[in-house]
Amino acid sequence: MSRLADRAVAAFGTALLPPEHGGPAPAQFVERVGRYVEQLPATQRLAVRAGVLSLAAASYLTTGRSLPRLEPADRARVLGRVAAVGPDMGAAVEGLKAIVLLANGADAYADELLAGAQGHDPARPDAALTITSSTDSPSVVTTDVVIVGSGAGGAMAARTLAQAGVGVVVLEEGRRWTVEEFRTTHPIDRYAGLYRGAGATIALGRPSVVLPMGRAVGGTTVVNSGTCFRPLDAVQRRWRDEFGLDLADPDRLAHHLDEVERTLQVSPVPLDIMGRNGNLLLDAATALGWRAAPIPRNAPGCGGCCQCAIGCPRNAKFGVHLNALPQACTAGARIVSRARVERVLHEHGRTRGVRARRPDGTAIDVLADTVVVAAGATETPMLLWRSGLGDHHRLGRNLALHPATMLAGRFDDDVYAWRGVLQSAAVHEFHESDGVLIEATATPPGMGSMVFPGYGVELLGWLDRAPRVATFGAMVADQGVGSVRSVRGEALVRYDIARADIAKLRVAMEAIGRLLFEAGAAEVLTGLPGATTVTSLPELQEAVRRNDPASLHLAAFHPTGTAAAGADPQICPVDPTGRLRGVDGVWVADASILPSCAEVNPQVSIMALALAVADNIAGAYR
């Protein structure tokens, strides 16, 4: 960053985490924040710089002095006054706070994270892959099928097709990470390197929603929580009956779901590694008489280090880079990494393959009769538009995010939410009735500090009490009201949560509050303006009633639906077999074909539908 921006970051740091009361020294804060910000895309870097410079200017305009020259309490008041100007300004200040706390916390806890990463030998070695970096790939490659994306959908499709004797090349924009890198790389560099846009993707709206998506060989399965729920039977029937997606018929999909669970070695979280965060949730649910259970996960050999979100340092979390992709390679598939697919090549209504770009901009053409697009719910529409295949008026629309909120509870004794499984136990009591799935969810230590309220001394106090805080989250089954658009060649995600889904958030918040108080929390952090902490259930109920949950800080990890598959050509860009309408030889096998919210963590749903689509493709080669 520039010297002016560095000074503004340092000033923001003195207001947010005053060094006089134990916060980091300004130079250290600038170094920590700069390490992350320099890895952000240019647009986000500019936004951060503009934000901190604006706050520095606000201090001069309102007090006549720079932030560092004010007393700590006055610095915090400046931030509070700016945040109170309006919802948009408040969201901007909180967004800056989230970015710098992530960077600061990751470095503050780096030694603990790396010690945890290196504390045990890997559960398994890296898998053998037939993989070439795009820099070493020929400029023209010929195959039967080219698959765009190596994540949940692409990997499963690759395995099915390769095992059917079909020639397969998988193109992946990200790179391959090794377990040794997960064990030794600084946590903020892992975070920035493993996520699209360095983890700073935002769905714009009121409220805006943080939308982290993986970018690596193995896709988001490398960085997700490992949660492996099957889609509810009711959801499968809805996809079949309302959308004509026969692939989702429960009787037909069952054997694909079974195969996914076998491949991933799914089993419930063992109680001995769950950690206190999950145990608190289960104990509270039992006391309330609510249905709850350990979460099924694909993590044989997990030791509970809570680093799933930045790459498992034990290779215990069994992402597709450790099973489906090596199995595909054993059957003859090849992977080319660091290859961003620019467009699908086609002429006279028939595909010819794809053109990808190396990091230096030079081209690789992969010539194939069949293209399987599995780039994810935001990138699949973008690729089809770049290719001149985006004429369907519903492409990029129907975006569901499965938005999530989190409440935290402060206890009188230690919890250490990050010592145990990152996502460990779930409450199902409100799942089918209200569309609310509650999960005990933590973050790697220091990397979830944005949950804490306030600025200055108040915020530092919460950071000191972090070991005594439990965190429970809830996801709500949402309507597909979002969209992806191409703006100057970049994906612009828009999502304004529906009123009906705000009502679900109210149910979720009250239910989480009940769980936390039942578990023994002395106070609950709500995230609601004007009532950031409450000490009783009636107080929480009043805060939820009085405040609009649309002002919450929401995150989402499950974008789906932007190229929905179904029978009606007016509403579904993809037909019921997985073919893209309007061109021969292009198929879609990723989260974008789910016609509505999966209502659970969707990786198993995506994989099962990808297996079904791949079976249809393989049939054409028999």
Side-chain angles (χ1 to χ4, degrees), residues 206-207 476 497-507 547-550:
R206 288 201 174 180
V476 301
I497 189 167
R499 279 284 156 188
D501 298 330
I502 290 177
K504 295 177 183 179
L505 282 174
R506 295 183 189 277
V507 172
N547 283 280
D548 185 352

Side-chain angles (χ1 to χ4, degrees), residues 276-278 280-281 306 405-411 415-418 422-425 438-443 448 451-452 466 468-474 512 516 525:
R276 191 167 181 223
N277 200 53
L280 285 170
L281 182 122
C306 199
T405 188
M406 179 181 286
L407 273 68
R410 180 188 62 79
F411 289 74
V415 175
Y416 285 105
W418 58 83
L422 183 142
Q423 201 166 80
S424 56
I438 298 171
E439 296 174 340
T441 300
T443 66
V451 72
F452 296 125
R468 297 189 170 192
V469 171
T471 49
F472 300 165
I512 295 175
L516 286 166
L525 288 72

Side-chain angles (χ1 to χ4, degrees), residues 54-436:
S54 297
L55 288 171
S59 179
Y60 280 111
L61 290 172
T62 58
T63 71
R65 304 176 72 184
S66 66
L67 281 169
R69 292 182 178 276
L70 297 174
E71 292 298 315
D74 293 328
R75 296 174 210 153
R77 276 192 284 271
V78 169
L79 297 186
R81 282 197 295 267
V82 173
V85 167
D88 291 340
M89 191 63 72
V93 174
E94 288 298 312
L96 280 174
K97 174 183 170 182
I99 287 172
V100 301
L101 286 181
L102 170 67
N104 182 75
D107 192 70
Y109 280 88
D111 289 344
E112 180 175 336
L113 279 159
L114 290 171
Q118 299 164 19
H120 300 276
D121 291 335
R124 57 186 56 83
D126 292 322
L129 298 176
T130 307
I131 186 167
T132 303
S133 173
S134 63
T135 56
D136 300 319
S137 171
S139 294
V140 178
V141 178
T142 302
T143 188
D144 296 322
V145 177
V146 57
I147 297 176
V148 182
S150 67
M156 287 296 184
R159 185 185 69 173
T160 294
L161 292 167
Q163 290 178 345
V166 179
V168 174
V169 171
V170 180
L171 298 179
E172 168 57 50
E173 181 182 3
R175 70 174 181 89
R176 185 188 191 185
W177 286 71
T178 66
V179 69
E180 185 61 22
E181 288 178 293
F182 293 148
R183 293 166 66 82
T184 59
T185 302
H186 191 287
I188 201 63
D189 297 335
R190 286 156 67 187
Y191 181 83
L194 282 162
Y195 287 88
R196 180 172 299 282
T201 303
I202 301 290
L204 299 176
R206 288 201 174 180
S208 293
V209 181
V210 180
L211 188 61
M213 296 172 286
R215 185 180 65 175
V217 172
T220 298
T221 74
V222 179
V223 293
N224 67 16
S225 64
T227 297
C228 290
F229 286 119
R230 288 185 174 219
L232 298 171
D233 283 349
V235 171
Q236 296 176 56
R237 289 192 297 270
R238 182 186 314 132
W239 291 345
R240 179 196 64 193
D241 298 339
E242 294 184 19
F243 297 94
L245 185 58
D246 290 338
L247 297 179
D249 178 86
D251 293 333
R252 183 175 178 182
L253 197 61
H255 81 277
H256 291 308
L257 292 168
D258 291 342
E259 175 56 29
V260 169
E261 290 180 340
R262 281 193 296 270
T263 298
L264 301 184
Q265 299 184 27
V266 175
S267 63
V269 172
L271 294 178
D272 62 334
I273 64 164
M274 176 175 287
R276 191 167 181 223
N277 200 53
N279 282 308
L280 285 170
L281 182 122
L282 290 179
D283 291 346
T286 298
L288 291 167
W290 293 355
R291 289 176 293 126
I295 283 175
R297 298 179 71 238
N298 59 320
C302 174
C305 72
C306 199
Q307 297 189 37
C308 309
I310 50 175
C312 179
R314 297 192 66 192
N315 266 358
K317 189 179 65 177
F318 212 35
V320 294
H321 59 301
L322 297 172
N323 46 64
L325 285 175
Q327 291 161 9
C329 290
T330 297
R334 295 169 287 163
I335 303 169
V336 180
S337 63
R338 303 184 72 203
R340 176 173 172 78
V341 177
E342 180 180 76
R343 66 179 184 270
V344 177
L345 304 174
H346 58 96
E347 59 183 7
H348 309 304
R350 177 75 202 179
T351 185
R352 294 178 46 243
V354 302
R355 175 162 294 165
R357 295 285 176 184
R358 302 180 178 94
D360 66 4
T362 56
I364 300 174
D365 285 352
V366 181
L367 305 180
D369 292 331
T370 302
V371 174
V372 180
V373 182
T378 63
E379 294 305 307
T380 284
M382 294 292 294
L383 172 58
L384 296 177
W385 284 321
R386 290 196 301 269
S387 306
L389 297 173
D391 292 340
H392 198 286
H393 71 285
R394 295 290 294 173
L395 183 68
R397 303 181 70 85
N398 190 49
L399 174 67
L401 292 183
H402 208 198
T405 188
M406 179 181 286
L407 273 68
R410 180 188 62 79
F411 289 74
D412 291 329
D413 56 347
D414 287 339
V415 175
Y416 285 105
W418 58 83
R419 294 182 182 174
V421 175
L422 183 142
Q423 201 166 80
S424 56
V427 172
H428 301 279
E429 187 71 17
F430 306 94
H431 193 187
E432 295 190 54
S433 60
D434 297 277
V436 173

